[in-house]
């Protein structure tokens, strides 16, 4: 335990290390994991507080970048590692993930994510065909962006991507006082239950254009990339109000618009022709 205290006081900011120290919250996270026998992928096990509870009922594959923490985890969890119920992968999870699936079997992602790469990790999990759900602690603002419904202020391109593959929910908030060291922001637990996976760079780029200036009209944002008359005709055809703001449009509208714009290969080149 002394070693653990030392590691906590030497938390490395570079790796987004804020260790969760509230057992009750750890229990609430465990209870929110979908009820089946799938393996859990944990990103950033840190000092192993969440890992310790995860391995009670699950097989776990954990990915930790910090060598000091990997050594600590290998010592603390030598028994489950020997028994094959826990695997620790030491290294950068994003490098390891690449364009492949993170694991070779279906899994649930459970993690108190390092905030500097949280959005990136969730987006990768949405695309990963092996990932069945995402249960993560992230900055509250990020959780809201992934889980908002159309019409809410926080509805964003990330909400549309979530709704395109499943359903996102902000479960509860976690105050900074529950971490060592405390982060500067409030955190939230986000759960995304996936029904499918989708890896469509074209659609992601289209959403970036659609939400470029979130307070402007959707048609205005789209007209920065596509011909204005094409957008006007499409809005008429799909019976979309011209003054609709990006956060007010349902996910299905984005899919209709994207499909129509891609049908005839209408893109920036057309605008410039
Ligand atoms: N799970 C622990 C907990 O709840 O106390 C630690 C969570 S801490 C917010 C984030 C963890 O992710 C740290 O252990 C950090 O070293 C690790 N981490 C940061 N960047 C990483 C990366 N690229 N790949 C794998 N782990 C990473």
């Amino acid at each position: 335990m002394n070693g653990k205290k030392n590691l906590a006081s030497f938390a490395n900011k570079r790796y987004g290390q804020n260790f969760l120290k509230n057992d009750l919250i750890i229990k609430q996270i465990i209870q929110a994991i979908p009820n089946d026998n799938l393996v859990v992928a944990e990103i950033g096990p840190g000092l192993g507080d969440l890992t310790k509870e995860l391995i009670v009922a699950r097989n776990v594959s954990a990915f930790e970048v910090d060598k000091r923490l990997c050594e600590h985890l290998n010592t603390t969890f030598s028994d489950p590692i020997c028994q094959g119920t826990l695997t620790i992968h030491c290294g950068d999870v994003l490098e390891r993930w690449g364009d492949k699936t993170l694991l070779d079997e279906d899994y649930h992602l459970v993690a108190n994510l390092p905030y500097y790469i949280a959005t990136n990790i969730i987006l990768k999990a949405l695309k990963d065909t092996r990932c069945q759900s995402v249960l993560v602690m992230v900055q509250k603002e990020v959780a809201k962006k992934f889980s908002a419904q159309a019409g809410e202020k926080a509805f964003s391109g990330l909400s549309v991507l979530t709704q395109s593959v499943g359903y996102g929910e902000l479960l509860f908030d976690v105050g900074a006082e529950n971490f060592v060291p405390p982060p500067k922001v409030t955190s939230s637990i986000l759960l995304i239950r996936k029904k499918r996976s989708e890896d469509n760079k074209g659609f992601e780029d289209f959403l970036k254009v659609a939400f470029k200036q979130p307070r402007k009209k959707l048609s205005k944002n789209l007209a920065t990339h596509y011909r204005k008359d094409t957008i006007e005709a499409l809005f008429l055809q799909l019976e979309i109000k011209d003054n609709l703001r990006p956060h007010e449009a349902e996910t299905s509208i984005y899919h209709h618009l994207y499909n129509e714009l891609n049908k005839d290969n209408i893109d920036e080149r057309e605008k410039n022709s």
Side-chain angles (χ1 to χ4, degrees), residues 15-20 44-46 63-65 92-93 112 114 116-117:
Y15 291 139
Q17 291 173 356
N18 301 100
F19 302 111
L20 182 59
F63 300 82
E64 176 55 61
V65 73
D92 182 339
V93 70
N112 171 13
Y116 74 107
I117 44 169

Side-chain angles (χ1 to χ4, degrees), residues 31-262:
Q31 279 164 8
I33 304 173
N35 199 3
D36 54 32
N37 292 322
L38 293 188
V39 65
V40 161
E42 186 190 6
I43 294 179
L47 297 169
D49 291 78
L50 177 58
T51 321
K52 187 174 74 192
E53 298 303 324
L54 286 171
I55 57 174
V56 172
R58 304 275 181 157
N59 282 357
V60 176
S61 262
F63 300 82
E64 176 55 61
V65 73
D66 188 332
K67 286 203 179 84
R68 299 170 314 158
L69 292 174
C70 290
E71 277 170 31
H72 169 79
L73 293 162
N74 280 322
T75 310
T76 309
F77 295 110
S78 57
D79 285 350
I81 290 171
C82 276
Q83 288 152 13
T85 52
L86 172 66
T87 311
I88 307 282
H89 307 272
C90 196
D92 182 339
V93 70
L94 288 175
E95 270 178 30
R96 191 187 169 90
W97 212 330
D99 291 327
K100 307 184 302 280
T101 57
L102 184 59
L103 299 181
D104 293 333
E105 59 186 308
D106 287 355
Y107 69 91
H108 297 298
L109 173 62
V110 182
N112 171 13
L113 287 178
Y115 293 175
Y116 74 107
I117 44 169
T119 298
N120 223 334
I121 286 175
I122 299 169
L123 286 174
K124 284 191 88 63
L126 295 185
K127 292 172 192 164
D128 187 331
T129 51
R130 289 298 200 178
C131 178
Q132 304 301 307
S133 74
V134 177
L135 176 64
V136 287
M137 174 107 66
V138 289
Q139 198 174 326
K140 182 172 181 172
E141 297 313 308
V142 174
K144 278 165 72 178
K145 279 187 180 167
F146 275 99
S147 61
Q149 303 298 313
E152 292 175 4
K153 226 168 136 190
F155 194 71
S156 66
L158 299 178
S159 327
V160 175
L161 290 174
T162 301
Q163 293 188 354
S164 302
V165 299
Y167 183 77
E169 223 181 323
L170 189 159
L171 296 186
F172 56 91
D173 293 340
V174 182
E177 69 281 4
N178 295 292
F179 300 87
V180 176
K184 290 199 174 71
V185 293
T186 298
S187 307
S188 298
I189 300 291
L190 167 73
L191 172 63
I192 301 174
R193 289 174 186 275
K194 289 177 63 186
K195 292 188 182 132
R196 59 185 160 272
S197 301
E198 197 170 282
D199 189 356
N200 186 342
K201 171 94 171 54
F203 188 56
E204 275 184 45
D205 290 344
F206 165 75
L207 289 174
K208 280 184 194 143
V209 175
F211 282 89
K212 202 170 183 177
Q213 300 214 51
R215 300 290 152 246
K216 284 216 163 145
K217 294 197 288 186
L218 174 59
S219 56
K220 268 241 152 74
N221 282 342
L222 292 175
T224 63
H225 189 88
Y226 303 94
R227 281 174 62 136
K228 195 165 173 256
D229 53 358
T230 305
I231 296 301
E232 280 172 1
L234 204 46
F235 270 49
L236 268 180
Q237 180 197 325
L238 297 174
E239 297 180 7
I240 304 170
K241 282 191 303 185
D242 173 64
N243 63 356
L244 199 72
R245 310 283 150 174
H247 72 281
E248 294 172 328
E250 298 283 345
T251 291
S252 57
I253 291 186
Y254 286 105
H255 282 283
H256 281 312
L257 285 169
Y258 176 72
N259 290 339
E260 288 297 324
L261 287 166
N262 275 281

